[in-house]
Amino acid sequence: MDSSITPLRHGGLSLVQTTDFFYPLVDDPYMMGKITCANVLSDLFAMGVTDCDNMLMLLSCSNKMTDKERDVIIPIIMRGFKDAAEEAGTQVTGGQTVINPWMTIGGVATSVCQSNEYIMPDNAVVGDVLVLTKPLGTQVAVNAYQWLDQPERWNRIKLVVSEDDVRKAYQRAMFSMARLNRTAARLMHKYNAHGATDVTGFGLLGHANNLAKVQKNEVGFVIHNLPVIAKMAAISKACGNLFGLLQGTSAETSGGLLVALPREQAAAFCKDIEKQEGYQSWIIGIVEKGNRTARIIDKPRVIEVPAKDRDGELW
């Protein structure tokens, strides 16, 4: 499961907790703080928990930073983390900071819940459909952006994308990663979700397999559609599938929720998210009879997100 659930001594309540940390992956410290916080909270949201009672922040400051760099960058990261926590209706009340050769950033999210406030991830049934609430391709976008300064890498992809394409994709990835999955978590209750997980480091297929493995029923997941940040599929192909984006193995950071929903509710779920947040979700696959594994069909349909590029607009 994405969070641990501990029944408390006190009647009918459970402690739902999760922790996560990673290395910086964008060059804007404020956005890095927001992305980290969104990523930590995502594990609660994947369980349908919409209200976090408390957060802690885990920070390791690199000993390679000068005092000046540290004094400027660390408070900005902390502000990003704190602002995202407040956006999620929670607060950061403590944590731990250490010095380390590497910079890492993460946190802990805790919620005290009644049993109707979380959704166990193991109730998918044959006939359900799979919905994804954010596009794939964050790892490809972040790497391509770093390659702008590495001529030997840039030469591999410059035939399929322009510098502008890469900068825009990076912005899209950054804002997508910083976006909370809270609305999706709330709507999981409204539309009777049968289980969910968030798509992060193991990629779409890795997390789909993890979700399939824990199902009570003998089901399998089949994925037909891959919504991908515009132009990232072309980059992935130009690199000889270095990232495994179309195979579902490309790591994501703070990705969307992958939700198993009753077929008749899924379109309304997607429409509701778009109405509330202005962002698309996609029906990407089905739940069929199977042996608790997930697979992507041989030639999945790649959905470019957004379908049309508009000047001055990200999505």
Side-chain angles (χ1 to χ4, degrees):
M1 294 198 304
D2 289 301
S3 301
S4 73
I5 297 182
T6 312
L8 295 177
R9 299 184 300 279
H10 314 292
L13 295 173
S14 292
L15 191 67
V16 183
Q17 271 189 318
T18 181
T19 183
D20 209 341
F21 68 90
F22 47 58
Y23 304 107
L25 74 167
V26 298
D27 55 10
D28 177 328
Y30 180 76
M31 289 303 287
M32 192 58 236
K34 286 192 82 161
I35 290 165
T36 305
C37 185
N39 193 61
V40 173
L41 286 165
S42 214
D43 285 331
L44 285 189
F45 297 146
M47 304 285 301
V49 173
T50 57
D51 295 305
C52 173
D53 290 307
N54 184 51
M55 292 195 79
L56 304 174
M57 187 171 177
L58 306 171
L59 194 55
S60 127
C61 179
S62 170
N63 57 12
K64 297 183 180 68
M65 282 179 160
T66 64
D67 288 356
K68 176 87 190 291
E69 284 170 339
R70 185 194 62 211
D71 291 348
V72 169
I73 291 165
I74 298 300
I76 300 174
I77 291 178
M78 291 171 81
R79 193 172 81 238
F81 192 98
K82 176 175 165 287
D83 285 356
E86 284 174 3
E87 190 189 324
T90 187
Q91 56 186 352
V92 184
T93 62
Q96 169 75 316
T97 308
V98 295
I99 302 278
N100 204 26
W102 311 277
M103 172 134 201
T104 64
I105 170 169
V108 179
T110 303
S111 187
V112 178
C113 293
Q114 293 174 316
S115 60
N116 64 343
E117 292 180 293
Y118 57 83
I119 295 171
M120 295 300 282
D122 56 5
N123 291 305
V125 297
V126 173
D128 280 354
V129 297
L130 301 171
V131 167
L132 184 65
T133 66
K134 287 185 189 179
L136 305 166
T138 54
Q139 183 190 37
V140 183
V142 165
N143 276 272
Y145 177 75
Q146 289 168 354
W147 292 352
L148 290 173
D149 302 324
Q150 299 171 30
E152 73 291 351
R153 294 283 180 94
W154 175 244
N155 289 338
R156 288 172 69 180
I157 62 170
K158 70 179 183 189
L159 296 175
V160 295
V161 283
S162 68
E163 281 197 29
D164 265 5
D165 290 336
V166 168
R167 290 184 198 284
K168 201 156 190 184
Y170 172 74
Q171 290 291 323
R172 284 176 175 139
M174 193 156 63
F175 282 97
S176 178
M177 291 186 289
R179 191 179 131 221
L180 299 173
N181 282 320
R182 195 180 187 198
T183 304
R186 198 176 280 125
L187 294 177
M188 279 167 61
H189 293 269
K190 181 174 175 182
Y191 294 101
N192 304 307
H194 290 153
T197 188
D198 62 328
V199 178
T200 47
F202 295 119
L204 176 64
L205 188 61
H207 289 285
N209 259 313
N210 284 345
L211 189 60
K213 203 161 58 185
V214 302
Q215 295 306 311
K216 288 183 196 155
N217 299 313
E218 288 185 6
V219 295
F221 297 164
V222 184
I223 294 166
H224 306 97
N225 300 324
L226 299 175
V228 174
I229 295 170
K231 306 277 186 12
M232 295 307 99
I235 291 178
S236 192
K237 281 180 186 157
C239 298
N241 287 332
L242 169 69
F243 300 100
L245 179 62
L246 304 186
Q247 292 71 40
T249 54
S250 180
E252 302 291 334
T253 299
S254 191
L257 297 189
L258 176 67
V259 190
L261 283 154
R263 182 188 295 268
E264 62 280 6
Q265 307 264 44
F269 174 93
C270 295
K271 205 173 277 179
D272 211 340
I273 285 194
E274 189 158 11
K275 194 172 106 193
Q276 291 190 42
E277 290 195 285
Y279 293 102
Q280 279 179 287
S281 296
W282 302 267
I283 294 173
I284 64 161
I286 58 167
V287 178
E288 60 176 26
K289 192 162 174 47
N291 57 353
R292 299 185 180 90
T293 56
R295 66 185 176 89
I296 296 175
I297 62 166
D298 279 347
K299 292 193 172 144
R301 182 168 73 109
V302 173
I303 302 166
E304 296 270 316
V305 185
K308 260 205 208 73
D309 218 1
R310 293 189 192 85
D311 271 354
E313 283 183 36
L314 276 187
W315 301 107

